[in-house]
């Protein structure tokens, strides 16, 4: 059958690969003092230069001392972190910490710790107690405004055997910090950071295994750390301190994280680690999905409905995976555009939105956290 040699419409198809932005959830930066070997790697000679380390033996070889031990401890956790970056400090001074934190601020990490540094009240005789300055710097770093996708949490350990949550005070009371009480000679902060990094953001850290050697606290210590049954995690200033425990109800021997508190359990704060990490993750997903809409979608019925659809593509998979329980998206301007006869005030709001080219959207997400306590009344008749 003859074909028409004249083609009135030509369509040339091309495939353009597209990879959406993704945010890691298991990257760690550990700052600390180290003694490099006689012939250190070229990228580890200068201080404050992050080095990616994937092997515990290499960590101790190239960063002998507190930094190498901390990195190795983080790497051996199961499940473990995605990446562990070692940042060598010249010393433990404020100047060295400031320079290191400035470098870490631009890194794709979600957890930050300082090697071999415990939070303790230290002061000269007769002076008021002062928390460890390096941990204060860490709390300030993780609480500071970060770029999109660079939000992070800090992990710090209390002094060995310290069961007083009152040490968490002032700037240290923040939902961006995780504090752990322990009776170990190892770097518990690095171990817990590695444990947190091994789980997806929405997974509760309660009773997750930590590979570290430690003794357990007694009942009186736990009441002091965690409060009574009516005030779980409620310290005198709203601080939450976790602890390590070997529960007799779990078969075999092992060390587990006794809770999943953040450093602020006060009113309105995000009390649990998974809450902070999940909010960070969802916030990034929404921003990454909507960035392509900037400059393209219009403030019209079709454009704003497209905006809602874009947000649904992020939230609906999370709802189906039971990361979140439900969600609701409200775009006030879209509701006004759908009205048959807007009032003069409503027309002014529409005009203002179009003039300023800004559309407000509100997303309500219901997050159902994991069970942390079960109260059973056993009644014998």
């Amino acid at each position: 059958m003859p074909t028409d040699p004249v083609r009135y419409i030509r369509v040339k198809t091309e495939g353009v690969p597209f990879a959406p932005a993704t945010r890691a959830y298991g990257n760690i930066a550990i700052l600390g003092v180290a003694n490099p070997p006689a012939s250190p790697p070229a990228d580890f000679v200068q201080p404050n230069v992050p080095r990616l380390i994937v092997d515990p033996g290499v960590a101790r070889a190239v960063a002998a001392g507190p930094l190498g031990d901390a990195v190795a401890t983080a790497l051996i956790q199961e499940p473990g972190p995605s990446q562990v970056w070692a940042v060598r400090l010249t010393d433990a001074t404020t100047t060295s910490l400031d320079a290191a934190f400035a470098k870490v601020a631009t890194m794709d990490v979600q957890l930050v710790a300082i090697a071999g540094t415990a939070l303790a009240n230290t002061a000269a005789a007769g002076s008021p107690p002062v928390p460890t300055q390096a941990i204060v710097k860490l709390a300030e770093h993780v609480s500071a405004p970060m770029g999109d996708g660079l939000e992070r949490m800090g992990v710090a350990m209390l002094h060995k055997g310290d069961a007083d949550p009152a040490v968490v005070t002032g700037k240290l009371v923040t939902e961006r910090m995780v504090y752990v009480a322990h009776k170990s000679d190892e770097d518990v902060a690095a171990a817990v950071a590695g444990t947190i990094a091994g789980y997806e953001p929405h997974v509760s850290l309660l009773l997750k295994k930590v590979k570290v050697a430690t003794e357990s606290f007694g009942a009186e210590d736990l009441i002091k750390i965690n409060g009574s049954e009516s005030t779980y995690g409620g310290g005198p200033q709203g601080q939450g301190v976790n602890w390590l425990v070997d529960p007799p109800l779990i078969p075999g021997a092992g060390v587990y994280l006794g809770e999943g508190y953040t450093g602020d359990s006060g009113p309105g704060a995000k009390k649990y680690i998974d809450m902070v990490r999940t909010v960070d993750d969802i916030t990034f997903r929404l921003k990454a999905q909507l960035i392509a809409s900037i400059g393209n979608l219009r403030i019209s019925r079709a454009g704003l409905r497209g905006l809602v659809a874009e947000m649904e593509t992020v939230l609906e998979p999370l709802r189906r995976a039971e990361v979140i329980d439900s969600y609701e998206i409200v775009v006030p301007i879209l509701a006004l555009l759908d009205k048959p006869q807007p009032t003069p005030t409503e027309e002014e709001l529409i005009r203002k939105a179009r003039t300023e080219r800004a559309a407000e959207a509100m997303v309500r997400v219901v997050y159902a956290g994991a069970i942390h306590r079960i109260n059973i009344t056993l009644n014998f008749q």
Side-chain angles (χ1 to χ4, degrees), residues 28 34 52 133 139 172 185 189 199 219 231 233 261-262 268 292-293 347 359 366 371:
I28 306 174
L52 179 62
Q133 186 60 31
L172 298 174
D185 293 322
Y199 292 92
T231 58
Y261 295 137
T262 66
S293 302
E347 288 180 345
V366 177
I371 295 174

Side-chain angles (χ1 to χ4, degrees), residues 265-302:
S265 60
K270 301 181 187 70
K271 182 176 179 179
Y272 298 100
I273 300 169
D274 56 294
M275 291 178 64
V276 176
R277 282 163 53 83
T278 298
V279 170
D280 288 347
D281 185 57
I282 293 178
T283 300
F284 175 81
R285 289 171 184 256
L286 286 172
K287 290 179 179 180
Q289 181 68 32
L290 295 177
I291 190 65
S293 302
I294 301 296
N296 293 316
L297 292 183
R298 298 184 177 278
I299 302 178
S300 61
R301 291 183 181 86

Side-chain angles (χ1 to χ4, degrees), residues 223 225-235 261 265 271:
I223 291 175
I225 295 171
N226 193 46
S228 64
E229 291 186 359
S230 61
T231 58
Y232 282 126
Y261 295 137
S265 60
K271 182 176 179 179

Side-chain angles (χ1 to χ4, degrees), residues 31-33 47-48 87-102 114-115 117 132-138:
L31 291 64
V33 177
N48 305 327
V87 183
R88 186 170 69 89
L89 303 173
T90 53
D91 49 51
T93 63
T94 299
T95 302
S96 180
L97 280 170
D98 288 342
F101 280 131
I114 302 178
T117 303
T132 307
Q133 186 60 31
I135 304 301
V136 175
K137 286 284 185 182
L138 174 61

Side-chain angles (χ1 to χ4, degrees), residues 30 69-70 73-74 77 113-118 155-161 178-196 210-215 217 242-245 255-257:
I30 300 180
D69 291 340
T73 302
Q77 303 305 312
I114 302 178
T117 303
V155 184
M157 58 183 175
L158 273 61
H159 187 72
K160 180 181 178 181
V178 177
Y179 300 104
V180 188
H182 66 99
K183 290 186 175 181
S184 174
D185 293 322
E186 299 181 52
D187 197 321
V188 170
V192 172
T195 298
I196 296 173
V210 182
K211 296 183 69 173
V212 68
T214 183
E215 298 178 15
F217 285 99
N242 304 285
W243 62 95
L244 299 180
V245 63
V255 177
Y256 296 82
L257 195 59

Side-chain angles (χ1 to χ4, degrees), residues 17 22 45 48 105 110 130 137 141 151 189 191 223 245 250-251 277 294 322 332 341 378:
T22 57
V45 175
N48 305 327
Q110 294 75 50
V130 179
K137 286 284 185 182
H141 169 74
E151 300 86 359
I223 291 175
V245 63
I250 298 179
R277 282 163 53 83
I294 301 296
E322 298 185 356
Q341 294 181 335
L378 187 60

Side-chain angles (χ1 to χ4, degrees), residues 33-377:
V33 177
N35 301 312
S39 300
D43 59 347
F44 204 67
V45 175
Q46 299 298 324
N48 305 327
V49 176
R51 174 180 171 84
L52 179 62
I53 300 180
V54 298
D55 182 83
V58 173
R60 291 191 170 96
V62 301
L67 180 56
D69 291 340
V71 172
T73 302
L75 285 170
I76 65 173
Q77 303 305 312
E78 296 178 359
S82 303
Q83 296 180 344
V84 178
W85 294 85
V87 183
R88 186 170 69 89
L89 303 173
T90 53
D91 49 51
T93 63
T94 299
T95 302
S96 180
L97 280 170
D98 288 342
F101 280 131
K103 186 68 176 181
V104 173
T106 62
M107 296 176 59
D108 180 22
V109 296
Q110 294 75 50
L111 296 162
V112 184
I114 302 178
T117 303
L119 174 61
N121 283 331
T122 57
S127 301
V130 179
T132 307
Q133 186 60 31
I135 304 301
V136 175
K137 286 284 185 182
L138 174 61
E140 291 175 344
H141 169 74
V142 297
S143 300
M146 294 288 175
D148 291 336
L150 297 180
E151 300 86 359
R152 68 275 311 270
M153 298 184 74
V155 184
M157 58 183 175
L158 273 61
H159 187 72
K160 180 181 178 181
D162 189 358
D164 187 2
V167 68
V168 180
T169 184
K171 295 180 180 180
L172 298 174
V173 181
T174 169
E175 62 190 25
R176 287 281 165 189
M177 285 294 296
V178 177
Y179 300 104
V180 188
H182 66 99
K183 290 186 175 181
S184 174
D185 293 322
E186 299 181 52
D187 197 321
V188 170
V192 172
T195 298
I196 296 173
Y199 292 92
E200 293 185 69
H202 66 277
V203 177
S204 169
L205 276 302
L206 173 61
L207 292 180
K208 297 304 184 288
K209 199 165 188 177
V210 182
K211 296 183 69 173
V212 68
T214 183
E215 298 178 15
S216 295
F217 285 99
E220 292 183 359
D221 288 333
L222 290 180
I223 291 175
K224 189 175 183 180
I225 295 171
N226 193 46
S228 64
E229 291 186 359
S230 61
T231 58
Y232 282 126
Q237 298 184 24
Q239 65 270 46
V241 174
N242 304 285
W243 62 95
L244 299 180
V245 63
D246 181 5
L249 296 178
I250 298 179
V255 177
Y256 296 82
L257 195 59
E259 248 304 345
Y261 295 137
T262 66
D264 188 358
S265 60
K270 301 181 187 70
K271 182 176 179 179
Y272 298 100
I273 300 169
D274 56 294
M275 291 178 64
V276 176
R277 282 163 53 83
T278 298
V279 170
D280 288 347
D281 185 57
I282 293 178
T283 300
F284 175 81
R285 289 171 184 256
L286 286 172
K287 290 179 179 180
Q289 181 68 32
L290 295 177
I291 190 65
S293 302
I294 301 296
N296 293 316
L297 292 183
R298 298 184 177 278
I299 302 178
S300 61
R301 291 183 181 86
L304 294 178
R305 286 195 176 92
L307 182 68
V308 172
E310 290 283 355
M311 288 188 278
E312 287 178 343
T313 61
V314 172
L315 298 173
E316 183 59 23
L318 295 176
R319 186 192 66 81
R320 293 181 180 180
E322 298 185 356
V323 173
I324 59 177
D325 187 66
S326 62
Y327 64 90
E328 180 183 6
I329 303 171
V330 177
V331 182
I333 294 299
L334 178 58
L336 298 182
L337 290 172
D338 284 338
K339 294 189 67 174
Q341 294 181 335
T343 65
T345 300
E346 292 169 342
E347 288 180 345
E348 175 61 22
L349 291 174
I350 294 172
R351 184 199 65 79
K352 182 179 179 181
R354 285 174 167 167
T355 301
E356 297 180 355
R357 301 197 175 193
E360 180 179 338
M362 292 175 285
V363 180
R364 176 177 176 268
V365 173
V366 177
Y367 179 64
I371 295 174
H372 280 214
R373 299 288 187 274
I374 298 176
N375 295 324
I376 301 174
T377 299

